[in-house]
Amino acid sequence: MTDNTHRLDTEDHFRTDVSCLPDLTAYLDDLLRTRERLAAASGADSWARAAAAPSAQEITKIRQLISQIKAGVEDLAPDERARIDQAVAVVRKHRAVSLGMPRLRQQA
């Protein structure tokens, strides 16, 4: 049995919300880069590379979420897509402001 407690549970973290699509795509890209970087690492033991590499199941799940979101958007009429794009821009802007890096107070 493999202990994957250090892995991200993608079902809880990401939703199939179109506003999450850029985050999902970036996360998939990161997983794929990590997998390739670990595969090319010649100095590490094979067991260490295998333990650190993202699982094929996780990569598949993220790809499925991305496909599901894209399919839902493709089914929309052009005017509906435009409204969705505007709404997503507002949501992502709000998230960026709300989830920004914490700042230290300036000392007087």
Side-chain angles (χ1 to χ4, degrees):
M1 180 148 75
T2 304
D3 178 16
N4 286 329
T5 56
H6 66 282
R7 302 223 185 262
L8 174 66
D9 184 358
T10 55
E11 287 183 17
D12 292 339
H13 184 74
F14 291 112
R15 295 177 293 185
T16 54
D17 177 326
V18 71
S19 69
C20 294
L21 186 58
D23 297 326
L24 281 168
T25 303
Y27 182 62
L28 176 62
D29 292 343
D30 187 48
L31 290 176
L32 295 174
R33 276 191 303 273
T34 299
R35 182 175 70 178
E36 291 304 314
R37 193 169 37 249
L38 288 168
S42 59
D45 290 334
S46 60
W47 66 267
R49 283 194 307 263
S55 71
Q57 179 183 9
E58 184 175 17
I59 291 170
T60 299
K61 186 163 277 212
I62 295 296
R63 283 184 171 144
Q64 288 171 343
L65 285 171
I66 290 170
S67 295
Q68 184 179 359
I69 293 168
K70 285 182 176 180
V73 172
E74 289 171 0
D75 291 341
L76 298 173
D79 63 320
E80 292 175 315
R81 268 191 240 157
R83 288 197 315 257
I84 292 290
D85 289 342
Q86 289 173 347
V88 166
V90 169
V91 168
R92 293 194 58 79
K93 183 177 179 182
H94 178 71
R95 277 190 205 146
V97 171
S98 298
L99 300 176
M101 294 297 293
R103 293 187 235 168
L104 297 175
R105 287 187 220 166
Q106 297 291 331
Q107 293 184 4

